[in-house]
Amino acid sequence: MTAQPATQVLDASEGAPDAAAEQAARTLAAGGLVAFPTETVYGLGADATSGAAVARLYDAKGRPAFNPLIAHVADTAAARALARFDPAAEKLAAAFWPGPLTLVLPRLADCPVAELATAGLDTIAVRVPSHAIARAILVAFGRPVVAPSANRSGHVSPTTAQHVLADLRGRIELIVDGGGTPMGLESTIIACLDRPVLLRPGALPRAEIERLVSLAEAPRAAAAPADVDELPMAPGALASHYAPRARPRLDAQRVERGEALLAFGAQPVEGTAHAAAVLNLSPRGDLIEAAANLFSHLRALDGSGAATIAVMPVPRTGLGEAINDRLERAAAPRQ
Ligand code: TXA
Ligand code: MG
């Protein structure tokens, strides 16, 4: 693989994904980096068993640290070759895989995933995605694929192939374009180590999980630092690498002069007329639609040049928990 690959975009938005999947699998086998759609967001895939491929992936993302990655596999049987399942993990996998759930489990001694991908931890995050293109790639490749969200570190997760291209053109070999991702929010992460703990709210709502197992709360400090990806701006040390980024102002009741507006629901907002730009997460107040629009709307409003994005309140029920989590991270003070 060359240091500066030309990035090919393969249209797989219509028809059977098999031809695209075969090419993706060949690229992965050669140590290349392939962005592909999942039901949550676009992932940037590398051969999980190759330390060299994983190292290239961190380099392409520009990660400030080697955050541990999620190993994606085609089915639960493949996941069992990587990690140990306790009864709670068994229950959750049976109910929600394939789908937007990631399980953090004890890593098996003979787990073939490169140590670098799990950042030297004795645990591993695994997920079986449901998206047809992701599944076709995993089946064609036949080995685990580590795939963080396919954005440069510090940017929001990509929900279209165009977002991936904007962040990673010239840094990865292939983008499989499957159109917009249906859910638009990253997977929910549950650790099943001692008792089930929610590490990251996500596309699978907490209430669905709590129907099967009771969840202990992760201390915010334990969940947050490892995951800087949702922040749409660069942390201080890297600030010069990125264009200035707009900062969300949460629970806004009106739009101040010069602000962009991220609306939710049909309620009119005072000051909309002088907003630098206006987008609505869901005019009909639907949290599923809002989740799907969240990252693309944040990107678009960021592009308006406004320094601040006034964000109307979003209810915290269902997917609203994950939406508010991502908005709070984006609005957090930058170090
Ligand atoms: O929806 C998703 O999960 C997407 C798609 C592409 O599958 N992937 C994704 O990956 O969001 P990434 O790398 O952007 O976020 C993975 C999160 C990080 O916060 C990481 O710290 C956490 O999972 N993680 C991975 N392995 C872990 C482990 N062993 N223990 C605790 N957290 C872990
Ligand atoms: Mg991410």
Side-chain angles (χ1 to χ4, degrees):
M1 294 291 155
T2 54
Q4 289 242 291
T7 302
Q8 187 190 348
V9 181
L10 204 58
D11 185 1
S13 52
E14 280 164 39
D18 293 3
E22 288 298 335
Q23 187 177 336
R26 280 195 302 275
T27 306
L28 290 168
L33 303 178
V34 178
F36 60 90
T38 79
E39 68 278 21
T40 59
V41 299
Y42 273 76
L44 177 58
D47 179 354
T49 66
S50 161
V54 175
R56 282 197 64 220
L57 189 154
Y58 284 118
D59 183 54
K61 281 210 39 133
R63 287 214 167 193
F66 292 156
N67 282 342
L69 303 172
I70 299 172
H72 296 65
V73 289
D75 51 38
T76 306
R80 284 187 212 289
L82 310 181
R84 191 166 64 244
F85 285 65
D86 70 5
E90 291 289 357
K91 231 189 234 181
L92 293 172
F96 300 117
W97 279 354
L101 172 71
T102 294
L103 294 175
V104 170
L105 304 171
R107 193 187 146 114
L108 291 179
D110 60 352
C111 172
V113 170
E115 294 277 356
L116 180 58
T118 48
L121 298 172
D122 54 8
T123 59
I124 183 167
V126 285
R127 161 160 134 77
V128 178
S130 63
H131 195 289
I133 294 174
R135 288 176 65 79
I137 291 171
L138 292 170
V139 168
F141 185 51
R143 287 206 287 270
V145 171
V146 280
S149 49
N151 50 283
R152 288 274 284 169
S153 194
H155 293 194
V156 294
S157 295
T159 56
T160 67
Q162 289 69 38
H163 294 162
V164 179
L165 201 57
D167 268 21
L168 296 172
R169 184 199 289 272
R171 307 182 69 87
I172 67 177
E173 278 72 27
L174 183 63
I175 300 173
V176 182
D177 182 355
T181 55
M183 292 174 161
L185 265 184
E186 302 90 343
S187 62
T188 301
I189 305 183
I190 306 282
C192 292
L193 301 172
D194 174 12
R195 57 204 179 123
V197 172
L198 177 67
L199 294 184
R200 176 175 78 179
L204 181 64
R206 169 203 295 268
E208 291 201 32
I209 296 163
E210 286 184 326
R211 239 176 261 150
L212 295 181
V213 300
S214 58
L215 289 178
E217 205 61 45
R220 175 91 183 168
D227 196 356
V228 294
D229 269 344
E230 288 74 19
L231 300 173
M233 75 296 291
L238 299 175
S240 60
H241 294 190
Y242 299 109
R245 296 265 155 177
R247 185 158 179 178
R249 182 171 67 81
L250 303 187
D251 293 321
Q253 304 298 331
R254 58 184 308 259
V255 189
E256 307 295 343
R257 237 166 234 293
E259 286 186 330
L261 171 64
L262 185 61
F264 176 83
Q267 192 77 11
V269 188
E270 198 189 326
T272 301
H274 61 232
V278 180
L279 285 172
N280 197 318
L281 287 171
S282 172
R284 59 195 162 94
D286 175 33
L287 288 166
I288 295 171
E289 182 181 39
N293 286 330
L294 178 65
F295 292 133
S296 55
H297 281 13
L298 278 175
R299 274 183 190 256
L301 292 179
D302 206 15
S304 75
T308 312
I309 302 170
V311 183
M312 287 179 67
V314 177
R316 290 176 181 273
T317 51
L319 286 184
E321 183 184 14
I323 294 171
N324 277 290
D325 173 81
R326 301 303 186 277
L327 287 169
E328 280 156 18
R329 288 169 191 269
R334 303 157 196 194
Q335 311 111 6

Coordinates of all heavy atoms in Angstrom, one line a residue, residues 61 149 151 157 229-230, ligand 2:
K61 N -7.0 8.0 10.7 CA -8.0 8.8 11.5 C -7.4 9.9 12.3 O -8.1 10.8 12.7 CB -8.6 7.8 12.6 CG -9.7 6.9 12.0 CD -10.8 6.6 13.0 CE -11.3 7.6 13.9 NZ -12.7 7.7 14.0
S149 N -15.7 4.8 13.7 CA -16.5 5.6 12.8 C -15.5 6.3 11.8 O -14.3 6.6 12.2 CB -17.2 6.7 13.6 OG -16.4 7.3 14.5
N151 N -14.5 8.9 10.5 CA -14.2 10.3 10.4 C -12.8 10.6 10.9 O -12.2 9.7 11.6 CB -15.2 11.1 11.4 CG -15.2 10.4 12.8 OD1 -15.9 9.4 12.9 ND2 -14.6 11.0 13.7
S157 N -19.3 11.7 13.6 CA -19.3 10.5 12.8 C -20.0 10.7 11.5 O -21.0 11.5 11.4 CB -20.1 9.4 13.6 OG -19.4 9.0 14.7
D229 N -14.4 11.0 19.8 CA -14.8 11.1 18.4 C -16.0 11.9 18.1 O -16.2 12.5 17.1 CB -15.0 9.7 17.8 CG -13.7 9.2 17.2 OD1 -12.8 10.0 17.0 OD2 -13.6 8.0 17.0
E230 N -17.0 11.9 19.1 CA -18.2 12.6 18.8 C -18.1 14.1 18.9 O -18.9 14.8 18.5 CB -19.3 12.1 19.8 CG -19.8 10.7 19.6 CD -18.8 9.7 20.0 OE1 -17.9 10.0 20.8 OE2 -18.9 8.5 19.5
Ligands
MG2 MG -16.2 7.3 16.6

